[in-house]
Amino acid sequence: MPTLWDFIKELFLPGAVGAVAAIAALKFLSSKFVEQQLSKDLEKHKTELSQRTESLKTELSIYAHEQNVATSRVDSQRAEAIKNVYSAIRAWVNPTTIIISGSPLVNAAKETEFQFYAETAEEAHAASKRLADVLADHAIYFDEETYRELYEMSIICLEATAYFLRPIRKDIAEGKQAADSLNAIENERKKLSEVWETKLRPVNSIVTTKFRKSLGISRN
């Protein structure tokens, strides 16, 4: 005769075992589903991150290129500014040093010698005014210290040639004899020479060195 225990085993145990197995299977499947979903989400995130990284790299590359182009453009403009200002300085230095050196004419008439100084002084004075204009047009490309040195130099150039030229123009206007004018010219020539040696030549050497350094040019 079956006992109560036998009855319970036959009635409930198979169902309990099946339920446990079902729960275990459900947990396993749920775990796998979660893992797969996490894997998909992770791969999607990696893909999106990679795409964003590549996009950022492209943007940074474009930005870097634009900055390089901008820097290159500024460097080119600065080099052009240095060239123009230096050319303007030389345009003043050349006739001025010719005046300082004295008339190269040998056994020339007084009128011819006077005309030589008058023409050369006018050339130097025009060059000093042009130097001031060129410097003003290119001021943005120089640091404050260099610009101040160049500005002071241009003012000295303008004043020095103006002082030298003033008595020449006055004598021309008054119709004074060339021989009398040459004596005054000689005095002014000595003054111009002193200004060049004590004020302008040192500054000219300094700014020339700065220009070479800015352009990456060195002279051994």
Side-chain angles (χ1 to χ4, degrees):
M1 179 177 179
T3 63
L4 179 60
W5 174 244
D6 293 331
F7 176 77
I8 292 174
K9 286 195 296 182
E10 290 178 2
L11 181 63
F12 294 104
L13 192 55
V17 173
V20 171
I23 292 172
L26 183 60
K27 286 183 177 180
F28 176 77
L29 293 175
S30 297
S31 176
K32 286 296 182 182
F33 175 77
V34 170
E35 289 179 4
Q36 290 177 356
Q37 197 65 34
L38 286 174
S39 297
K40 289 181 180 180
D41 291 343
L42 183 59
E43 288 300 321
K44 181 181 179 182
H45 180 70
K46 285 182 179 180
T47 301
E48 292 176 351
L49 184 60
S50 177
Q51 291 173 346
R52 291 175 60 185
T53 300
E54 291 302 319
S55 176
L56 181 59
K57 286 181 179 179
T58 301
E59 292 176 3
L60 289 174
S61 178
I62 294 173
Y63 176 77
H65 175 70
E66 291 174 347
Q67 291 300 305
N68 288 335
V69 170
T71 301
S72 177
R73 187 183 299 116
V74 171
D75 287 344
S76 177
Q77 292 171 342
R78 184 181 294 112
E80 186 68 18
I82 290 174
K83 172 188 173 184
N84 292 338
V85 171
Y86 184 76
S87 295
I89 292 174
R90 294 305 307 171
W92 178 86
V93 169
N94 291 338
T96 301
T97 51
I98 288 174
I99 292 172
I100 292 172
S101 298
S103 173
L105 304 175
V106 179
N107 298 325
K110 299 296 183 182
E111 290 78 8
T112 303
E113 189 173 351
F114 175 80
Q115 190 65 28
F116 161 78
Y117 279 117
E119 292 177 354
T120 310
E122 291 287 357
E123 180 185 351
H125 188 57
S128 69
K129 292 192 291 185
R130 169 148 180 79
L131 172 58
D133 292 338
V134 171
L135 180 59
D137 291 340
H138 297 81
I140 194 173
Y141 297 106
F142 299 99
D143 61 81
E144 185 176 350
E145 180 183 356
T146 302
Y147 176 76
R148 185 175 65 253
E149 291 169 343
L150 289 168
Y151 174 77
E152 292 174 354
M153 180 181 184
S154 70
I155 296 300
I156 296 173
C157 290
L158 190 61
E159 291 178 346
T161 50
Y163 288 146
F164 183 84
L165 183 60
R166 187 178 299 166
I168 295 177
R169 286 182 174 178
K170 183 174 180 292
D171 289 351
I172 291 175
E174 295 176 354
K176 186 176 286 190
Q177 293 294 318
D180 297 332
S181 298
L182 287 174
N183 291 328
I185 288 175
E186 181 60 22
N187 290 331
E188 294 300 326
R189 187 181 70 81
K190 292 178 180 178
K191 294 178 183 178
L192 182 61
S193 177
E194 183 179 358
V195 171
W196 166 252
E197 291 295 337
T198 61
K199 296 181 179 180
L200 293 174
R201 192 170 191 171
V203 176
N204 181 62
S205 178
I206 290 172
V207 297
T208 299
T209 300
K210 286 187 175 183
F211 285 170
R212 288 198 183 103
K213 183 177 180 181
S214 181
L215 295 172
I217 301 172
S218 62
R219 176 177 289 184
N220 296 327

